[in-house]
Amino acid sequence: MNSTMISARGHRKAFAGLTLLAAAALALAACAPPGAEKPEEPAGGGDSGTLTVGYISPTTGNFAVAGQEMVDGWNLYWDRNGSKAGDITIKTIVEDDAGNPETSLTKAHKLVEQDKVDIIVGPLIANTALAVAGYTASVGIPNLHPVAASDDLTQRNANDLTVRTGSMGGSQANYPGGQWAATEGGFKTAVTLCADYAFGWESCAGFVQGFTQNGGEVVKQIWFPNSTTDFSTYVSQIQAADADVVYVATAGGAPGPNFLNAYLDLGLDLDKVIANCCAADQGTLRTMGDRILGLKSISYWAEGRDGEATAEFVDAYKEFADGKIPGAYVAGGYMTASLVASVLKEKGLLTGSDLVDAIADYTFQDSIFGKVSWDDHNQMVGPVYVREVQKLDDGNFYNVPIATMEDVDQWLGRTPEDAMKQPTYSQDFQGLE
């Protein structure tokens, strides 16, 4: 995989979120065992030639499929390349948090205090990711996030030891899709259907702002609980709204195909649907097959992208997973391992802030996502794709890019200062002027 190291920044990041972090660290200290104190030096240890990694992911529970795929992506990299990066041996300890914030914190304490890990990778779900990031920062341990999409992980709650290594924030990844829909897509009105929690609010906010800033009008916003299985009433509301396009944001798993089946069963036009990353992830493609050929979606990940690194990764995963095509969760785990390996090969064994600084100063010229780098808040900057479901020569279904927006940052056309003055996104606040 081709990569280029750019020069280190002359100064490290002075985050607006540091005041919040200090308060969070004090609160999280209450979670520590009696008598525990914040170490003056990073708590991680490990031998001089070993980087010990604690990997937290929900491999059981409601998010088990996505969580296991995130782990699979990490394991695939080391399976392909051996368990060493240069002269550094990688030792990984995987812990299941079942998507529960209290369990995540318990597992993070165990990994740091008992296993003496040098870094923690994960977890997956927004609230677990924010909880673990606050704790790891308070004890000097780097925290790398392959997939967690909470905007505030690299905005209001950002800290110098947390970096999002394998994904974009929810609003960031969907803002260019709204722009495309209103311009290249030619849609004038939209109705949105989004999961009723932070990731859904942020995904919707990104699309809505991109759409309305380019002349589009959102005529209705509809929210559904993550536990929804029957989407027929929501589809009826969409039909009644009579908009040019419907934007759908799910968190992956069953809601994607459940919505699409309900929508298509009413004979509605698939060309009027734009999905987010997860509603059109590989789990949906495998389930729906020919029925959703032509479905358009928005994501930083496109398995049908024309790039050497992407093609090699897809082929490797097909061999690793009995012919399956990798989705965004696998890609995030693999990308994170690629970054860690690239930095260690060039710099030798790094821990603490040195490891995070080296990752944040890195530019991949041709990663599995395309050309990516990191901003001063440790958030990925890179391409976002408008994708279309196509069946390729191997008989598998792929999300193939039909439009690419390069160098997308997380600020949605604002300065970082202005963006973080806003309230967090919710049903009631979508960032509209």
Side-chain angles (χ1 to χ4, degrees):
M1 187 174 295
N2 297 323
S3 60
T4 300
M5 179 71 78
I6 61 176
S7 60
R9 298 183 177 98
H11 63 279
R12 291 310 300 159
K13 299 158 281 294
F15 292 160
L18 284 177
T19 302
L20 292 174
L21 171 62
L26 289 172
L28 286 162
C31 301
E37 297 180 359
K38 176 181 173 181
E40 294 183 4
E41 299 296 331
D47 299 330
S48 60
T50 299
L51 186 80
T52 304
V53 179
Y55 204 109
I56 304 175
S57 191
T59 54
T60 60
N62 291 339
F63 303 98
V65 173
Q68 186 58 56
E69 287 193 347
M70 193 172 83
V71 175
D72 287 346
W74 173 269
N75 288 339
L76 172 60
Y77 181 87
W78 305 113
D79 183 71
R80 287 189 70 203
N81 295 281
S83 60
K84 301 189 76 172
D87 295 328
I88 311 304
T89 299
I90 308 300
K91 176 184 176 183
T92 304
I93 303 168
V94 177
E95 293 286 352
D96 171 26
D97 69 352
N100 181 287
E102 291 184 3
T103 305
S104 282
L105 274 176
T106 298
K107 295 299 179 72
H109 276 279
K110 180 258 185 188
L111 288 165
V112 170
E113 295 156 12
Q114 297 181 29
D115 299 314
K116 306 296 182 184
V117 299
D118 297 296
I119 65 173
I120 285 181
V121 179
L124 170 64
I125 309 305
N127 55 356
T128 62
L130 289 168
V132 169
Y135 166 67
T136 52
S138 75
V139 293
I141 295 292
N143 187 199
L144 313 184
H145 289 271
V147 182
S150 169
D151 284 0
D152 276 349
L153 194 65
T154 54
Q155 292 186 17
R156 296 164 187 82
N157 289 1
N159 68 69
D160 285 341
L161 286 170
T162 299
V163 55
R164 198 183 334 247
T165 48
S167 69
M168 288 184 173
S171 62
Q172 176 186 6
N174 289 281
Y175 179 72
Q179 294 176 308
W180 180 89
T183 55
E184 299 301 315
F187 300 111
K188 302 302 181 185
T189 59
V191 57
T192 67
L193 175 68
C194 298
D196 192 12
Y197 81 117
F199 176 61
W201 303 331
E202 291 168 358
S203 298
C204 250
F207 180 88
V208 164
Q209 289 178 54
F211 190 68
T212 57
Q213 288 172 14
N214 287 274
E217 178 189 0
V218 176
V219 298
K220 187 177 181 65
Q221 291 198 266
I222 307 167
W223 309 96
F224 68 91
N226 264 337
S227 58
T228 300
T229 58
D230 182 357
F231 281 83
S232 57
T233 58
Y234 298 108
V235 172
S236 295
Q237 293 179 59
I238 289 168
Q239 190 174 25
D242 194 28
D244 295 335
V245 67
V246 53
Y247 167 74
V248 181
T250 77
N258 285 347
F259 163 76
L260 288 164
N261 277 318
Y263 182 88
L264 293 171
D265 285 348
L266 279 180
L268 301 181
D269 187 355
L270 192 65
D271 287 340
K272 295 177 66 173
V273 175
I274 298 177
N276 74 332
C277 60
C278 311
D281 200 42
Q282 272 293 318
T284 298
L285 271 59
R286 295 181 201 123
T287 300
M288 300 291 294
D290 288 338
R291 202 171 191 210
I292 57 167
L293 283 171
L295 173 68
K296 294 178 179 61
S297 60
I298 311 157
S299 184
Y300 56 86
W301 166 242
E303 59 270 27
R305 171 181 172 266
D306 183 16
E308 181 180 352
T310 305
E312 290 178 356
F313 166 58
V314 170
D315 287 344
Y317 186 70
K318 285 167 69 177
E319 183 177 348
F320 179 85
D322 298 324
K324 288 183 178 179
I325 308 302
Y329 304 106
V330 183
Y334 189 90
M335 180 69 174
T336 301
S338 302
L339 272 171
V340 170
S342 296
V343 166
L344 295 183
K345 286 175 184 176
E346 292 200 20
K347 296 288 190 178
L349 182 61
L350 297 175
T351 57
S353 61
D354 290 338
L355 177 61
V356 174
D357 289 354
I359 289 173
D361 284 336
Y362 212 77
T363 294
F364 264 117
Q365 295 293 346
D366 182 28
S367 78
I368 60 174
F369 298 132
K371 181 181 177 180
V372 297
S373 59
W374 280 262
D375 70 14
D376 285 345
H377 288 61
N378 291 347
Q379 170 57 32
M380 189 170 75
V381 177
V384 170
Y385 305 99
V386 178
R387 317 175 301 178
E388 181 180 87
V389 175
Q390 298 179 15
K391 181 185 279 189
L392 299 187
D393 292 342
D394 64 358
N396 287 303
F397 297 93
Y398 291 77
N399 286 299
V400 178
I402 59 172
T404 302
M405 289 69 78
E406 300 283 0
D407 300 321
V408 176
D409 64 33
Q410 64 176 325
W411 306 117
L412 280 57
R414 298 177 173 86
T415 65
E417 294 76 17
D418 286 343
M420 289 191 292
K421 286 178 184 176
Q422 298 182 134
T424 55
Y425 295 125
S426 65
Q427 280 196 30
D428 298 323
F429 180 73
Q430 290 284 282
L432 298 173
E433 300 296 339

